Amino acid sequence: MKAAVLGYGTIGSGVVEILEKNSALIERQAGRKVEVKYVLDLREFPGDPVNKYLVHDFDVIANDPEVDVVIETMGGTGAAYTFVKASLLAGKHAVTSNKALVAKYGCELLEIAREKKINFLFEASVGGGIPIIRSMFSALRGTNIKSVTGILNGTTNFMLTKMLKENRDYADVLAEAQALGFAERDPSADVEGFDACRKIAILASVATGKFVDFEDISTRGITDVTKEDMEAAAGLGLSLKLVARYEAMGEKAGAFVCPAALTSQNPLANVNGVVNGVLVDGEESEELLFTGPGAGKLPTASAVVADVVEAVIYSDRTVYGGWTDEKLQVEDISGIRRQYLITGTGAGAYVTEPMTRAEAEAKAAGGRVYPVL
Ligand code: HSE
């Protein structure tokens, strides 16, 4: 099997590295040798061994019948969409780490894959190296998923952890996350919650088999979370985290992304640093916690490579159907009746009796309000 990698950035270079370093292991597991034939990138990489694969024109890949698997690690929804769609239409399996692509065009790309009896796989698009999508598609078959709650953005979790534990400021820890290759090219996607929003939309679509549109999900990021809020929360035994949640609600989906105060009983409370955590509550499976590195070169690339091996093993059929374009109506469940942490009012931080978010906000009058989970 010959593979082409689109984009030689952090993830793409990690994928090439693992495919080469672990080629014997991969051959044994896949039953066939998997070789990189091309790497597409607009840039030059003087002195880098990638030069033996480097091409600048996607048509070289599209028109080469020897290429069976196209691996997209470019990001964005422009050329990435055009190239992945063209690859699938040409009968080539496609694997991606790109949540923006999956969240926006998943319905269409999955439909093409089903029609062509090939695979469009995207394990690395959510939770970095955590095998959450495959687990939900496969290990949780036959289970009714009641809810999925996640810390799904490594950058913000890394930032919040460092700000609290190392007493560092926001801009400083963001710069470190960027230098480590965790942050999105435009880090506002991380700190404004848009990245986590796309990821929970994907997990909700996986859970339901229907289309949960990220544009319908109420999303609030961490830009107004202060170190004082985190310290006040910690003083009350709570951890402030950027949380994304999906809940089954009959014919609807409940969802939100917002900073929340986790009690020490919440299994996600101790998910710190660039680590992600996903808590899947199934009617029959009960609560399952998946945790691991949510970003970073080799962890994310390992998830991409696992998909490549899966595509090679199931090269004659679509292994996971994914979801259809039937759209689920989404309800904002961040404001339901529950306890809220209130900070920044001058009255000291405190947790309310159960009330709606609107009531908590009225009570906070200009302070900040976090749901307690
Ligand atoms: N920027 C993302 C994060 C990368 O920090 O989680 C992984 O999707």
Side-chain angles (χ1 to χ4, degrees):
M1 293 288 262
K2 305 277 187 202
V5 180
L6 312 184
Y8 195 63
T10 307
I11 313 303
S13 60
V15 170
V16 174
E17 184 178 327
I18 298 177
L19 285 174
E20 293 191 330
K21 182 167 72 75
N22 295 351
S23 66
L25 171 70
I26 290 166
E27 182 174 354
R28 177 165 61 73
Q29 293 173 332
R32 276 196 261 181
K33 210 178 207 19
V34 180
E35 284 174 327
V36 177
K37 182 162 185 186
Y38 301 111
V39 173
L40 177 79
D41 204 294
L42 288 176
R43 298 165 294 179
E44 301 292 345
F45 299 90
D48 191 304
V50 77
N51 279 304
K52 59 180 177 292
Y53 308 129
L54 198 62
V55 291
H56 300 301
D57 179 3
F58 173 71
D59 287 344
V60 175
I61 294 166
N63 297 329
D64 185 339
E66 257 201 353
V67 174
D68 307 289
V69 186
V70 172
I71 301 163
E72 186 276 309
T73 60
M74 303 161 54
T77 51
Y81 166 65
T82 310
F83 296 166
V84 168
K85 183 174 173 181
S87 302
L88 290 167
L89 287 170
K92 302 178 193 300
H93 303 279
V95 171
T96 185
S97 58
N98 181 344
K99 56 256 154 177
L101 176 73
V102 179
K104 187 161 182 192
Y105 293 112
C107 298
E108 182 189 7
L109 299 172
L110 283 161
E111 175 64 24
I112 300 172
R114 286 191 295 267
E115 265 173 29
K116 297 267 177 192
K117 297 190 171 40
I118 53 176
N119 291 290
F120 173 56
L121 299 172
F122 42 87
E123 180 61 69
S125 66
V126 180
I130 305 172
I132 181 62
I133 290 177
R134 183 168 294 103
S135 299
M136 287 177 65
F137 270 146
S138 165
L140 289 173
R141 282 190 182 113
T143 299
N144 283 304
I145 293 176
K146 293 194 293 184
S147 68
V148 180
T149 314
I151 294 175
L152 296 177
N153 182 265
T155 298
T156 47
N157 210 42
F158 175 88
M159 291 173 66
L160 292 173
T161 305
K162 292 254 167 185
M163 283 163 71
L164 184 66
K165 298 210 166 144
E166 296 177 13
N167 197 25
R168 303 206 358 230
D169 71 28
Y170 185 94
D172 178 33
V173 290
L174 175 57
E176 189 180 344
Q178 287 177 290
L180 289 166
F182 303 155
E184 297 300 301
R185 200 166 305 159
D186 175 1
S188 65
D190 297 296
V191 297
E192 302 281 2
F194 306 142
D195 175 81
C197 168
R198 281 159 180 78
K199 289 169 175 169
I200 197 67
I202 293 170
L203 294 184
S205 299
V206 171
T208 57
K210 295 178 182 164
F211 176 46
V212 176
D213 190 343
F214 67 90
E215 307 225 37
D216 295 341
I217 298 178
S218 151
T219 300
R220 180 179 143 209
I222 65 159
T223 47
D224 61 359
V225 177
T226 66
K227 202 155 74 58
E228 289 69 35
D229 290 354
M230 286 191 282
E231 282 164 353
L236 294 167
L238 301 165
S239 314
L240 278 187
K241 307 274 184 195
L242 183 65
V243 171
R245 182 164 165 92
Y246 151 77
E247 266 178 45
M249 293 177 67
E251 292 307 301
K252 292 189 203 165
F256 67 80
V257 174
C258 76
L262 305 185
T263 69
S264 57
Q265 282 88 52
N266 190 316
L268 295 170
N270 289 318
V271 172
N272 290 318
V274 72
V275 174
N276 280 188
V278 192
L279 194 62
V280 181
D281 190 9
E283 212 166 291
E284 298 78 16
S285 63
E286 303 188 358
E287 269 192 358
L288 304 167
L289 176 65
F290 299 80
T291 179
K297 177 175 167 171
L298 290 181
T300 309
S302 77
V304 173
V305 169
D307 275 350
V308 173
V309 174
E310 190 105 331
V312 174
I313 294 172
Y314 298 101
S315 56
D316 58 347
R317 66 189 167 99
T318 306
V319 61
Y320 308 122
W323 57 87
T324 66
D325 60 4
E326 186 187 338
K327 192 169 163 173
L328 270 185
Q329 197 186 322
V330 178
E331 198 149 300
D332 178 5
I333 51 166
S334 67
I336 59 172
R337 190 178 172 80
R338 66 167 94 239
Q339 290 183 310
Y340 291 89
L341 168 68
I342 293 183
T343 61
T345 59
Y350 63 98
V351 172
T352 65
E353 291 304 306
M355 55 176 61
T356 64
R357 184 174 196 129
E359 286 164 342
E361 270 165 0
K363 205 170 159 127
R368 291 171 293 283
V369 173
Y370 303 98
V372 175
L373 301 179

